[in-house]
Amino acid sequence: MLSDTTGPFAECHSTVNPEVYQKTCMFDTCNCEKSEDCMCAALSSYVRACAAKGVLLTGWRSKSLKYTYNVNSCQPTCRSLSEPDVTCSIKFVPVDGCTCINGTYMDDSGKCVPASSCPCYYKGTPLSSGEVVHDNGVLVSHFSWLFCLSVCVPPMVYVDCGNLDSSSREMFQDTFSLSSLQYKTHCVSGCVCPDDQVLDGKGSCIAPEDCPCIHNGNSYSPGESIRVGCNNCTCRNRKWQCSEEPCLETCSVYGDGHYTTFDGKRFDFEGDCEYVLNYCGQQAMNQGTFRVITENIPCGTTGTTCSKSIKVFLGNYELVLNDGHSDVIQRTPGGKIPFQIRSMGIYLVVDTTVGLILMWDKKTSIFIKLSPSFQGHVCGLCGNYDGNGNNDFTTRSQSVVGSVLEFANSWKVSSSCPNANRTQDPCTANPYRKAWAQKQCSIITSEVFAKCHSQVEPNEYYQACVDDACACDTGGDCECFCTAVAAYAQACNELDICISWRTPSICPLFCDYYNPQGECEWHYKPCGAPCMKTCNNPSGKCLHEMRGCYPQCPKNKPYFDEETMTCVSNCDVVYNTTDGTGWCIVATCGPNGTLQRFFHRCPMSTSTTSPFSTTPSTTTSTGTSFVTLKSVFSCLVKKIFYSTKWIAQILALR
């Protein structure tokens, strides 16, 4: 009906394109339990979009004589007979729906009744037919519609608009809400707050400066802070006051080739080859060059592929992430390691010194974050990061194309790889898996993720989940499903909307595996844990928080050793200094006396011009602490010891 050029919707086709509404209608009707209700809702959304453009559509419903196609204000109510109903004077964009027939009025229960059956309202309270009340010696009955009865809880006071002069009536025109905005209406009789106070939304009166702030439907008291993206926001005087640090943008790849570029362009691509995911070949703000390669490996019999191997080229080093492990290859001698690798929850996180952060779930999900200094200086399947998603399909030859296949095939690493073609719909190829996939993936559109639905559109993630669950037909189907749901949870988490969706029966994480015998340090953190002090990051400062299994280290063992996965009292730190550009360097004494260096972003208050020591100490004229020299010497002694021991073992064998 929506696309029929001679049907009831044809008049609006030139004004509002029905294509998107038709797809939504098909999807909702096929997936909704009450399919007819969902179909009608989808059609109604198109009618309303047309009405907003001035095109009023009629004749597409044939159910009730009470149905109206162009309702543009509220219908008469019983309350409006006793006192002015200011909402009925407000006009809005015409909508279709059921209204009371002429001569009837809607009562408080939503029923349409004749005027004779309406109650009267005395100070805001309905009085049933024949009910009588006494107020200061005045008899008020069903026939007295000019008075209102209201019992106000202190400090609220009652205002009778009928007994106020025009100047006094103006005093009660301001209506306050929990937000920082005010709006004006006509005077309405009832309980109001005193002049110097406002309603808090819970029936109490508070001072305006004590009003909370709202974020994602939650209220926060004055002084409370939240994190929005990479910035901290504090509630002050009903408004959020936020820091203005430039935030890193994210490119994500997960499951059966589902991509979201830095500029928010979503697309699906499946190719059995290595592809350039992200590349910077220019000196962007003197940050340096890098290249991120992803290898697509088949994960189903239908031709579907999953990204399971990542290579990062940075300076003299190549980092290979594959099969849950990481390997570092030094391509040419010399140069310090320009990145730090650490575990955060279920993710392996790579922090680089050039402003590139890579997060890998050790399976099929990759999240790349870039600092704003790279805007417009990158290319590849993650797009050009210029703030415009419309030109993200830029090929290797710098041509902007409309075809996903043409764009993605141009970023093959090897020209000997065949071009990828469109694969068969997984659920069509494996129809026996479709019902299971839809049932499992419906968690994305369920109440579990309800508070995220208004912020992150769930339907695309749901469809991607169904496709992946149908496609993984060679084993690991639950893993494909869990990865798809986790991708939506991560998108919500990026907007500081934490969803605790894992259960013992749905994608559980067995954190108890890491607990020592008889202890209970490890717990699952659905929203990530506060940044921990680790041997690789003794400052305890992080740019992000990842969900997963985390230990609660006791006070006598405050550091987490990522090598042994245990809490320790100290990490044998040799020195802790900065490179002068905002990066902190931590050196620890590693196995066999080797000196291991780790890099992390310095706290904002940390000086970036001179070295510092983690332990108070006397320093030499060059700024190097005696404690540092002692630690270095200790590490050298260990190295000599292990070297001597190794030589002795060889001689013994001979």
Side-chain angles (χ1 to χ4, degrees):
M1 289 175 63
L2 277 171
S3 60
D4 186 359
T5 57
T6 60
F9 301 100
E11 183 183 353
C12 189
H13 286 178
S14 60
T15 305
V16 179
N17 191 333
E19 181 179 355
V20 174
Y21 293 86
Q22 183 175 356
K23 290 181 179 179
T24 303
C25 180
M26 290 289 292
F27 182 88
D28 290 351
T29 306
C30 289
N31 289 280
C32 189
E33 291 183 1
K34 297 181 179 180
S35 59
E36 186 175 356
D37 290 346
C38 293
M39 178 194 70
C40 292
L43 297 178
S44 183
S45 68
Y46 181 73
V47 173
R48 189 176 189 280
C50 293
K53 297 290 186 180
V55 181
L56 302 179
L57 299 176
T58 61
W60 61 278
R61 286 189 191 256
S62 58
K63 280 204 169 185
S64 172
L65 295 176
K66 298 178 183 179
Y67 186 81
T68 304
Y69 290 98
N70 57 347
V71 180
N72 59 6
S73 67
C74 80
Q75 52 198 318
T77 62
C78 287
R79 188 178 295 270
S80 66
L81 295 176
S82 296
E83 57 188 23
D85 191 344
V86 296
T87 60
C88 284
S89 64
I90 299 174
K91 299 291 184 179
F92 46 79
V93 176
V95 296
D96 62 294
C98 296
T99 63
C100 292
I101 61 176
N102 292 337
T104 61
Y105 301 84
M106 184 171 288
D107 62 13
D108 289 345
S109 67
K111 297 179 180 178
C112 294
V113 297
S116 59
S117 299
C118 282
C120 67
Y121 291 82
Y122 180 65
K123 294 185 178 180
T125 300
L127 302 179
S128 301
S129 179
E131 187 175 355
V132 177
V133 296
H134 292 270
D135 185 19
N136 293 327
V138 178
L139 181 64
V140 182
S141 69
H142 177 271
F143 304 102
S144 302
W145 288 350
L146 301 178
F147 301 95
C148 300
L149 172 65
S150 182
V151 178
C152 301
V153 178
M156 298 185 74
V157 296
Y158 179 75
V159 173
D160 186 352
C161 296
N163 295 329
L164 294 178
D165 56 30
S166 58
S167 59
S168 300
R169 199 174 285 124
E170 184 73 19
M171 294 171 54
F172 296 97
Q173 285 189 346
D174 285 337
T175 302
F176 294 84
S177 68
L178 286 175
S179 68
S180 60
L181 302 177
Q182 305 175 21
Y183 60 92
K184 287 195 171 186
T185 70
H186 298 287
C187 179
V188 179
S189 300
C191 297
V192 298
C193 288
D195 294 347
D196 58 343
Q197 294 183 322
V198 294
L199 281 171
D200 66 352
K202 301 176 183 178
S204 300
C205 297
I206 58 176
E209 59 270 17
D210 293 333
C211 282
C213 301
I214 305 299
H215 179 68
N216 286 335
N218 299 318
S219 62
Y220 298 84
S221 301
E224 281 193 275
S225 296
I226 60 173
R227 191 164 182 85
V228 180
C230 66
N231 287 288
N232 287 320
C233 296
T234 304
C235 178
R236 291 193 179 96
N237 196 22
R238 298 176 292 162
K239 295 182 180 180
W240 289 111
Q241 295 184 4
C242 302
S243 59
E244 297 182 356
E245 295 293 329
C247 295
L248 301 150
E249 289 295 341
T250 304
C251 169
S252 65
V253 185
Y254 73 92
D256 185 15
H258 308 298
Y259 294 76
T260 303
T261 68
F262 291 115
D263 296 327
K265 182 81 169 180
R266 287 180 59 92
F267 65 94
D268 293 341
F269 173 72
E270 303 155 9
D272 187 5
C273 188
E274 284 189 329
Y275 298 88
V276 177
L277 190 58
N278 197 22
Y279 173 64
C280 175
Q282 309 175 42
Q283 292 290 336
M285 300 292 291
N286 297 320
Q287 297 257 37
T289 62
F290 62 83
R291 186 163 48 127
V292 182
I293 304 296
T294 176
E295 180 181 5
N296 288 347
I297 302 172
C299 59
T301 60
T302 61
T304 56
T305 61
C306 299
S307 175
K308 293 187 178 180
S309 179
I310 307 105
K311 297 177 182 177
V312 182
F313 298 88
L314 193 63
N316 295 330
Y317 292 86
E318 176 184 347
L319 174 63
V320 181
L321 308 175
N322 187 26
D323 196 24
H325 303 287
S326 62
D327 295 308
V328 179
I329 302 172
Q330 189 171 5
R331 302 174 67 84
T332 57
K336 64 182 181 181
I337 299 178
F339 52 79
Q340 175 194 13
I341 305 173
R342 65 173 181 266
S343 295
M344 293 185 68
I346 62 175
Y347 291 92
L348 187 148
V349 179
V350 181
D351 274 325
T352 72
T353 57
V354 300
L356 164 72
I357 298 175
L358 189 145
M359 299 182 299
W360 178 46
D361 72 345
K362 303 176 187 177
K363 296 175 183 176
T364 65
S365 296
I366 311 163
F367 300 92
I368 297 177
K369 293 177 176 287
L370 275 185
S371 68
S373 58
F374 284 103
Q375 287 184 342
H377 295 285
V378 293
C379 53
L381 295 183
C382 281
N384 54 18
Y385 188 18
D386 66 347
N388 179 16
N390 292 329
N391 60 8
D392 276 355
F393 287 175
T394 301
T395 65
R396 189 188 292 268
S397 61
Q398 298 301 300
S399 299
V400 179
V401 298
S403 167
V404 172
L405 290 175
E406 183 180 356
F407 158 67
N409 281 322
S410 74
W411 289 106
K412 292 184 300 184
V413 173
S414 173
S415 58
S416 62
C417 284
N419 282 340
N421 296 312
R422 225 173 269 281
T423 58
Q424 185 180 2
D425 174 53
C427 291
T428 301
N430 299 321
Y432 60 93
R433 301 179 59 82
K434 186 174 182 178
W436 175 84
Q438 290 177 335
K439 179 182 179 181
Q440 294 295 103
C441 295
S442 64
I443 186 176
I444 294 177
T445 56
S446 72
E447 287 297 315
V448 174
F449 285 92
K451 64 180 181 180
C452 185
H453 289 164
S454 62
Q455 304 296 317
V456 181
E457 165 58 40
N459 286 329
E460 290 183 339
Y461 285 91
Y462 166 79
Q463 191 58 53
C465 177
V466 172
D467 290 343
D468 288 2
C470 284
C472 291
D473 58 350
T474 57
D477 50 359
C478 288
E479 181 175 308
C480 291
F481 157 69
C482 293
T483 299
V485 180
Y488 185 63
Q490 177 63 22
C492 298
N493 212 27
E494 292 280 344
L495 297 177
D496 294 298
I497 304 174
C498 171
I499 306 293
S500 180
W501 61 277
R502 293 181 186 268
T503 69
S505 59
I506 300 177
C507 307
L509 286 181
F510 187 55
C511 299
D512 278 349
Y513 170 81
Y514 300 103
N515 281 323
Q517 184 68 30
E519 297 183 21
C520 188
E521 292 178 348
W522 287 84
H523 302 276
Y524 175 63
K525 305 291 184 181
C527 307
C531 195
M532 300 171 54
K533 291 183 178 181
T534 69
C535 290
N536 292 351
N537 183 24
S539 69
K541 300 293 183 181
C542 298
L543 297 178
H544 35 256
E545 298 173 357
M546 298 286 107
R547 61 189 182 278
C549 297
Y550 286 90
Q552 185 69 41
C553 289
K555 291 183 178 179
N556 62 332
K557 296 180 180 180
Y559 295 96
F560 178 64
D561 188 336
E562 291 165 300
E563 295 295 326
T564 62
M565 298 291 283
T566 58
C567 295
V568 295
S569 57
N570 62 74
C571 299
D572 201 1
V573 176
V574 176
Y575 65 81
N576 196 338
T577 185
T578 70
D579 65 356
T581 63
W583 283 86
C584 289
I585 307 170
V586 180
T588 61
C589 195
N592 300 336
T594 57
L595 194 67
Q596 296 182 327
R597 297 179 180 87
F598 303 96
F599 298 81
H600 64 89
R601 284 285 186 188
C602 296
M604 295 299 294
S605 60
T606 300
S607 169
T608 58
T609 58
S610 62
F612 65 89
S613 174
T614 57
T615 306
S617 59
T618 306
T619 59
T620 65
S621 58
T622 60
T624 305
S625 69
F626 288 122
V627 172
T628 299
L629 293 175
K630 181 180 178 181
S631 299
V632 173
F633 180 74
S634 174
C635 199
L636 289 174
V637 170
K638 286 184 180 180
K639 187 166 187 176
I640 294 171
F641 170 77
Y642 282 110
S643 298
T644 305
K645 184 178 180 181
W646 177 70
I647 293 172
Q649 289 175 342
I650 294 177
L651 292 175
L653 289 173
R654 294 184 65 186

